[in-house]
Amino acid sequence: MKTKIYISLLLGNFYFCGISQQKAIPFIEQAAKIDGALNESVWKQAALFTEFNNYYPNDEGKADHITTVRGYHDRKNLYIGVEYYDTNAHNKISTLKRDNHGDAVVSSDAFGIILDPFNTENNGYYFTLNAANTQVDALIEFNGTDYSFNESWNAVWKSETAVEGTKKIYEIEIPFKALNFDVDNTTWGVQFFYRDFKTNQWMTYTDMPRNFFQFDLRFTADVLMEQLPKATISRFMFVPSGTYSYQKDITTHTDKSNFKPSLDAQYNLTSSLRLDATINPDFSQIDVDQQVVNLTRFAINFPERRNFFLENSDLFNNLGTFDVNPFYSRRIGGTTDMQFGVKLSGNITPDTRIGILNAQTEKSTDHEAQNYAVFVARKKLSRDFTTTAYWVNRQQTDRFDILNTYNRVLGVNLNYRSKNKLWSAQTNYGKSFSNNIHNKNDFFNIEGQYNTRKTYAKAALKTVDKNFITDVGFTPRLYNYDAIKGEVIRDAYVDSYFVFQKNYYPVTSEIIDRYRYLSVSNDAFWDHEGTLTEMTTVIGNSVWFKKNLSSLYLNVSHGYFNLTYGFDILNNGNPILPGVYNTLDIKTGYNNRFSNQNFYYEAALFYGGYFNGKRRGMETALGYRLLPFAQFNINYSLNHIDLEALGNAVFHLARFTGEVFLNNRINWTTYVQYNTQLNSFNINSRLQWEYRPLSYLYLVATDNFNKQIARTNWGVAIKANYRFDL
């Protein structure tokens, strides 16, 4: 009998010990004062998270420096208090500009929080704060086989930082109303990390290999959120704004001025379902796109950064693959102004998400009015499998009349992630319908990925029919411009892709961090008859150094082109003629961009063939951090293309970026871009004042010249918005 009692008590102890291992963030009915001082008694009652693990560059063992994180909530806000026990009182900061992840987090001392409120590993939130109280917030998205994040998303949250001797303090308040969550799901996925830029180290709360992103939701810890608010957290947010602009066209001797009011609104139907609306939207607050030199025959994808399209953006953006995406929101309002938009998105159950979007554009002289509608439903079938179904519609309209000119895309996706976190895969199928086109209109893709510290492999196979037309999507390779006939032709194709990489981590070396001693990739395309039309094979080697995490690389590539249509890369009327071309290229470079020194740089040289000729050139970047008040960098690339009898050209792309920070709320950013391929010399200078959270005043000046530095047009704009949170 005593033996049975002893065994029962022992098993009971094991049971309760197992339960106690799950951390719990308690409910405490007391708000914290966000002042960078964790001296209130409430912090002693908060949950404690400590014993951080090494993540990068070494991902083995516990971190040398102690990080303690405390957390609790008051049913309105989640409070996080952090103490990092440094050995140096100094902080290293690269920027005071909000939502600049590369400088505010990667190149600064910083602390980060990853939240997965539904704990489904599909989507989540990313809140980071550098030691100068510069905020970065983003949506975490699963894009088929990997995780990424969209830092254009914004929320109102409070934070403060402080230094006490060598101890660094971060205090954060995140409102529950900024998050989508299920009041009945009390287990959240949570991850914390600390970035010490002075020593070039990363530390994470959970133990995870360095070959995964620190925001990978598969490595979050299960954390119990005690006594979440049972009532729906209602929120009504609206942002009225007004923009005045003046533009002067030098070439036509005309000018115009315009005032444009607009309104954005958002309402929480439930804690996990949101309604967004916009009227006469204005997107002038976004940064200008960074120009590139495009030596391919196809269009380039620029990211979406407009506010209306950002909430739950992963639902809409990841319906296909990067180069075959059925929905690309920058198509909406790209040619004519957008009149209004309405969007419903979020979770209707913990495992089911929906997205419904409708937008209307105006009629212009060159373009008809269009209505755009999207419906997406995503269901988590099991721990490993998730499926998505979607419908995308573009319909021509005439005021309130719907015309019979349309394009529709229907599709379904299936995603897989293995329990051991090493494997991921996706399958995509889509079909498009346009008026009078109903055949040869399919898209299919299957791809898989394997990822360990030493081995990375990925393979994909996709087929795109010639009539898979996506007027609201991004399918650049489907469209081929024939420079001889001056027309665009749609061509079906099959694309196979694979990459295989092997890494070695020397244990005893004080110089070498790792070698990538084998890297092989191959991307091949066939036409609808099975003829190989293009194939690129790249073999490379890279080495990373422990000091400043710099890298040295060498790549050799072979290109095969069975060119079907004339290609006038020089834009001189002498196109490259159809035919078979073989090229061999070599590229070598050194990258010191992630250096923790104030001065950083990278440089590369390349030489090889280009269809029937040669291409040689260089790429370089120089930057200087005048911490923490300013940062300047210069990027320059040169491409010299010699096509012998067809002609030759030198494409220059130079970009200067200057950022001056008066404080966390006021910054002045200037871009100077010179691109001879686009015959463009552009200056864009923007003064931005965040006079209250997410309420801005912008003053923007633009000046445009041709490559001979002759002015073509200039303009100024002033915009003000005010965010109301009710």
Side-chain angles (χ1 to χ4, degrees), residues 154-156 235-243 260-267 275-285 306-308 311 689-698 719-726:
N154 290 306
V156 175
R235 179 184 73 156
F236 180 63
M237 179 275 292
F238 65 98
V239 182
S241 64
T243 303
K260 185 175 183 178
S262 63
L263 178 68
D264 292 296
Q266 185 179 83
Y267 180 69
L275 180 66
D276 291 88
T278 184
I279 300 173
N280 197 26
D282 174 66
F283 304 133
S284 62
Q285 74 271 20
R306 299 174 295 181
N307 290 332
F308 171 73
E311 189 70 45
W689 175 28
E690 188 181 10
Y691 59 91
R692 68 185 305 271
L694 296 186
S695 296
Y696 293 93
L697 178 66
Y698 303 93
K719 173 179 178 172
N721 66 15
Y722 191 92
R723 178 174 172 129
F724 294 90
D725 282 279
L726 305 177

Side-chain angles (χ1 to χ4, degrees), residues 406-613:
Y406 63 87
N407 172 247
R408 295 164 188 155
V409 184
L410 290 85
V412 62
N413 305 329
L414 182 66
N415 296 95
Y416 167 77
R417 284 163 292 183
S418 66
K419 292 183 177 64
N420 62 9
K421 305 178 179 62
L422 302 181
W423 295 90
S424 59
Q426 70 168 334
T427 300
N428 313 85
Y429 175 74
K431 182 180 282 290
S432 72
F433 303 89
S434 302
N435 43 295
N436 302 322
I437 300 177
H438 301 286
N439 59 1
K440 298 181 180 180
N441 54 352
D442 294 334
F443 156 63
F444 175 76
N445 173 67
I446 184 169
E447 61 184 281
Q449 177 176 289
Y450 176 75
N451 189 5
T452 71
R453 291 178 80 249
K454 296 183 178 181
T455 304
Y456 174 82
K458 185 173 184 176
L461 177 68
K462 67 170 68 75
T463 64
V464 183
D465 286 347
K466 66 175 297 183
N467 291 331
F468 183 70
I469 303 170
T470 59
D471 289 349
V472 205
F474 183 75
T475 56
R477 190 169 279 272
L478 186 64
Y479 297 89
N480 299 264
Y481 178 72
D482 189 338
I484 298 175
K485 296 181 179 179
E487 60 184 16
V488 176
I489 299 129
R490 290 195 314 271
D491 265 349
Y493 67 90
V494 176
D495 176 17
S496 71
Y497 171 81
F498 80 85
V499 59
F500 182 80
Q501 297 174 347
K502 293 292 291 184
N503 296 297
Y504 173 68
Y505 302 83
V507 177
T508 58
S509 175
E510 297 182 359
I511 299 176
I512 305 300
D513 172 57
R514 65 176 166 126
Y515 296 103
R516 179 173 293 161
Y517 61 91
L518 177 63
S519 177
V520 180
S521 66
N522 179 273
D523 200 3
F525 298 87
W526 290 265
D527 64 17
H528 65 282
E529 295 178 349
T531 301
L532 181 65
T533 59
E534 183 176 336
M535 183 169 65
T536 302
T537 304
V538 181
I539 300 176
N541 297 90
S542 305
V543 58
W544 283 261
F545 302 98
K546 288 185 176 179
K547 184 178 181 181
N548 293 331
L549 301 182
S550 58
S551 61
L552 179 67
Y553 61 89
L554 174 67
N555 293 329
V556 178
S557 61
H558 173 264
Y560 169 86
F561 302 92
N562 186 358
L563 193 63
T564 307
Y565 306 104
F567 176 38
D568 190 4
I569 182 62
L570 302 181
N571 197 28
N572 64 357
N574 296 322
I576 302 170
L577 298 178
V580 175
Y581 302 93
N582 283 276
T583 63
L584 188 67
D585 304 86
I586 185 169
K587 182 176 182 178
T588 183
Y590 179 77
N591 187 349
N592 194 37
R593 182 176 286 274
F594 300 109
S595 167
N596 56 12
Q597 303 301 308
N598 290 342
F599 177 70
Y600 57 93
Y601 58 93
E602 64 176 310
L605 299 173
F606 49 85
Y607 179 83
Y610 188 82
F611 292 95
N612 64 313

Side-chain angles (χ1 to χ4, degrees), residues 299-319:
I300 294 176
N301 187 333
F302 288 100
E304 176 64 81
R305 293 180 291 182
R306 299 174 295 181
N307 290 332
F308 171 73
F309 295 100
L310 297 179
E311 189 70 45
N312 287 303
S313 59
D314 67 298
L315 269 171
F316 302 93
N317 293 344
N318 299 315
L319 301 182

Side-chain angles (χ1 to χ4, degrees), residues 61 98 102 353 502 510 662:
R98 179 178 177 140
R353 302 173 68 201
K502 293 292 291 184
E510 297 182 359
L662 302 182

Side-chain angles (χ1 to χ4, degrees), residues 288-360:
V288 295
D289 289 320
Q290 294 188 357
Q291 295 184 18
V292 297
V293 173
N294 183 7
L295 301 181
T296 74
R297 309 188 305 281
F298 308 105
I300 294 176
N301 187 333
F302 288 100
E304 176 64 81
R305 293 180 291 182
R306 299 174 295 181
N307 290 332
F308 171 73
F309 295 100
L310 297 179
E311 189 70 45
N312 287 303
S313 59
D314 67 298
L315 269 171
F316 302 93
N317 293 344
N318 299 315
L319 301 182
T321 64
F322 173 77
D323 56 348
V324 184
N325 199 343
F327 180 70
Y328 179 44
S329 57
R330 284 186 64 136
R331 300 285 189 206
I332 302 176
T335 54
T336 61
D337 288 339
M338 185 171 153
Q339 293 178 328
F340 67 84
V342 181
K343 181 175 68 175
L344 177 68
S345 61
N347 285 70
I348 55 176
T349 72
D351 293 329
T352 306
R353 302 173 68 201
I354 63 167
I356 304 172
L357 184 150
N358 187 272
Q360 179 70 40

Side-chain angles (χ1 to χ4, degrees), residues 138-356:
L139 295 176
I140 300 173
E141 306 173 349
F142 184 69
N143 57 20
T145 55
D146 268 317
Y147 288 89
S148 60
F149 63 86
N150 186 340
E151 63 185 292
S152 297
W153 176 83
N154 290 306
V156 175
W157 50 293
K158 297 179 181 179
S159 60
E160 193 56 72
T161 61
V163 178
E164 294 181 0
T166 59
K167 182 172 67 175
K168 315 298 172 60
I169 300 174
Y170 300 74
E171 193 170 18
I172 298 169
E173 174 189 297
I174 302 173
F176 279 130
K177 64 185 180 182
L179 309 175
N180 285 346
F181 66 96
D182 179 14
V183 296
D184 295 320
N185 177 55
T186 57
T187 300
W188 291 21
V190 177
Q191 176 71 282
F192 305 111
F193 70 84
Y194 195 88
R195 166 60 164 160
D196 191 331
F197 187 49
K198 300 182 303 300
T199 60
N200 260 328
Q201 290 180 304
W202 298 76
M203 294 144 274
T204 56
Y205 174 64
T206 68
D207 190 13
M208 61 182 299
R210 56 183 276 183
N211 51 290
F212 295 95
F213 296 119
Q214 75 271 19
F215 49 83
D216 192 313
L217 299 178
R218 292 171 293 183
F219 292 91
T220 58
D222 289 343
V223 175
L224 180 66
M225 304 294 290
E226 295 183 346
Q227 301 181 51
L228 282 172
K230 293 300 180 184
T232 299
I233 299 176
S234 63
R235 179 184 73 156
F236 180 63
M237 179 275 292
F238 65 98
V239 182
S241 64
T243 303
Y244 171 79
S245 61
Y246 173 82
Q247 293 181 323
K248 175 74 173 181
D249 193 314
I250 305 300
T251 57
T252 61
H253 305 287
T254 60
D255 62 354
K256 64 178 181 179
S257 60
N258 180 53
F259 176 75
K260 185 175 183 178
S262 63
L263 178 68
D264 292 296
Q266 185 179 83
Y267 180 69
N268 274 17
L269 297 175
T270 70
S271 62
S272 61
L273 194 61
R274 296 187 175 183
L275 180 66
D276 291 88
T278 184
I279 300 173
N280 197 26
D282 174 66
F283 304 133
S284 62
Q285 74 271 20
I286 64 173
D287 283 332
V288 295
D289 289 320
Q290 294 188 357
Q291 295 184 18
V292 297
V293 173
N294 183 7
L295 301 181
T296 74
R297 309 188 305 281
F298 308 105
I300 294 176
N301 187 333
F302 288 100
E304 176 64 81
R305 293 180 291 182
R306 299 174 295 181
N307 290 332
F308 171 73
F309 295 100
L310 297 179
E311 189 70 45
N312 287 303
S313 59
D314 67 298
L315 269 171
F316 302 93
N317 293 344
N318 299 315
L319 301 182
T321 64
F322 173 77
D323 56 348
V324 184
N325 199 343
F327 180 70
Y328 179 44
S329 57
R330 284 186 64 136
R331 300 285 189 206
I332 302 176
T335 54
T336 61
D337 288 339
M338 185 171 153
Q339 293 178 328
F340 67 84
V342 181
K343 181 175 68 175
L344 177 68
S345 61
N347 285 70
I348 55 176
T349 72
D351 293 329
T352 306
R353 302 173 68 201
I354 63 167
I356 304 172

